[in-house]
């Protein structure tokens, strides 16, 4: 009896761990956003800088994107702990089934795309997938999505680049250098550019999709507000100030840009990570 | 004089953004062809619909990349570049004035 109530308490605390970081990020955003004038021009800005840590060479700015991605990471940690809390050999709870489904899907994805010997990569791929998807989806809560800051995505791409180089170097340093001069030495500059183009293109693809969605949403919301002031401005009193035309269309756009595009880009980023790493590992004789 | 320079900067940024979005032509044609082939494939083998659709969406998202590069450049040119260019210009003018260099 006592163990049951303790387990309930742990469940409750883990649920709090899922929700609290996101709520904290939202509160922080609401508290620090300056009161912008409601009309007058389109406001599109990058991540807001919360505070800076003074360092000897250059000050380290702590931006919205960093805070939000840490909040998302804490939330993912909470989700993992919640789903795997109190697992049994024979599953009897829905959340254990959900956890097993996730693990099964990711393992299947990795073994389909990379082969059986790369199954150790499954947690890494699942981590990238979850972090990227939930980061993009956090814009549904009104947060600044960390993936629409280029630094965050470039960080992930550099991580993948280091992994690729690590696995290429496993075939020997000489083979790695020789790889740049194949098929003929004339191609060396192109090969070197191609090597660095991989992480840049991965990062730009993800960042560009999320950010362009955000910009297009803001532009359309702005245009709809102006249109509704123009068309419905004759209504008496405060009724003329309410942008009625903004109802509806932005929600449909958000369905595509935030949900579909965000999840799609997360999947593609994970997919490219798997492909690049799988092709980087030297073939065993 | 300064106003004319700022006007030229703004106008050239807008023209550059317009030219950058020409990059959208390529992905448009490419994705159209991909979708056409996918429709043919589904018509030929209706039972392979789900596999074809998922491959198509993945391929389309990959083909979109070059267009997105153009879009990013366009957005940067409209929302970011004018401000920083104008700042550079103003700093240069201040520097010239402080050194006593005559501005024409």
């Amino acid at each position: 009896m006592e163990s049951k109530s303790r387990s309930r308490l742990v469940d409750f605390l883990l649920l709090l761990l899922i929700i609290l970081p996101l709520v904290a990020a939202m509160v922080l955003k609401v508290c620090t956003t300056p009161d912008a004038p409601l009309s007058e021009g389109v406001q599109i800005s990058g991540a807001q800088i919360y505070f800076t840590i003074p360092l000897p060479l250059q000050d380290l700015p702590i931006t919205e994107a960093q805070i939000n991605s840490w909040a998302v990471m804490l939330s993912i940690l909470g989700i993992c702990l919640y789903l795997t809390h109190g697992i049994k050999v024979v599953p009897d709870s829905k959340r254990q089934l959900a956890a097993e489904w996730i693990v099964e899907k990711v393992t299947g994805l990795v073994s389909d795309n990379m082969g059986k010997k790369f199954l150790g990569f499954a947690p890494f791929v699942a981590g990238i997938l979850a972090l990227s998807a939930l980061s993009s989806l956090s814009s549904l809560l009104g947060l600044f999505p960390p993936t629409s800051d280029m630094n965050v995505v470039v960080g992930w791409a550099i991580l993948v680049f280091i992994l690729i180089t690590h696995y290429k170097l496993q075939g020997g340093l000489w083979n790695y250098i020789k790889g740049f001069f194949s098929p003929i030495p004339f191609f060396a500059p192109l090969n070197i550019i191609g090597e660095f183009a991989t992480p840049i293109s991965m990062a730009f693809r993800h960042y560009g999709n999320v950010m362009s969605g955000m910009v297009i949403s803001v532009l359309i919301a702005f245009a709809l507000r102006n249109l509704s002031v123009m068309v419905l401005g004759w209504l008496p009193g405060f009724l003329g100030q309410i942008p009625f035309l903004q109802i509806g269309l932005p929600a449909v756009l958000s369905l595509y840009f935030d949900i579909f595009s965000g999840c799609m880009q997360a999947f593609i980023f994970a997919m490219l990570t798997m492909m690049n790493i799988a092709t980087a590992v030297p073939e065993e004789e | 004089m300064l106003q004319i320079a700022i006007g030229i900067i703004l106008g050239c940024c807008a023209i550059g953004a317009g030219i950058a979005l020409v990059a959208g032509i390529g992905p448009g044609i490419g994705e159209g062809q991909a979708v056409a082939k996918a429709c043919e494939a589904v018509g030929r083998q209706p039972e392979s619909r789900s596999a074809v659709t998922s491959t198509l969406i993945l391929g389309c998202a990959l083909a979109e990349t070059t267009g997105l590069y153009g879009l990013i450049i366009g957005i940067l040119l409209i929302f970011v570049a004018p401000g920083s260019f104008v700042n550079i210009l103003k700093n240069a003018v201040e520097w010239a004035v402080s050194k006593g260099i005559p501005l024409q």
Side-chain angles (χ1 to χ4, degrees), chain B residues 5-76:
Chain B
I6 290 174
I8 290 174
I9 286 178
L10 294 182
C12 289
C13 281
I15 293 173
I19 295 175
L21 287 198
V22 173
I25 293 176
I29 296 173
E31 284 183 23
Q33 284 194 349
V35 173
K37 292 286 178 195
C39 289
E40 278 178 22
V42 172
R44 207 177 298 131
Q45 276 183 309
E47 68 274 9
S48 68
R49 184 192 177 91
S50 63
V52 169
T53 310
S54 60
T55 315
L56 170 73
I57 290 179
L58 188 67
C60 277
L62 287 179
E64 239 171 36
T65 314
T66 47
L68 279 171
Y69 293 163
L71 186 64
I72 292 175
I73 300 293
I75 288 172
L76 289 181

Side-chain angles (χ1 to χ4, degrees), chain A residues 44 201 204-205 207-209 211-212 215 264 267-268 271, chain B residues 54 57-58 61-62 64-65 68-69 71-72 75-76 79:
Chain A
I44 291 173
S201 123
F204 265 59
R205 178 178 297 125
Y207 155 75
N209 259 296
M211 193 200 62
S212 65
V215 169
M264 198 64 227
F267 180 67
I268 286 170
M271 205 69 179
Chain B
S54 60
I57 290 179
L58 188 67
L62 287 179
E64 239 171 36
T65 314
L68 279 171
Y69 293 163
L71 186 64
I72 292 175
I75 288 172
L76 289 181
F79 290 109

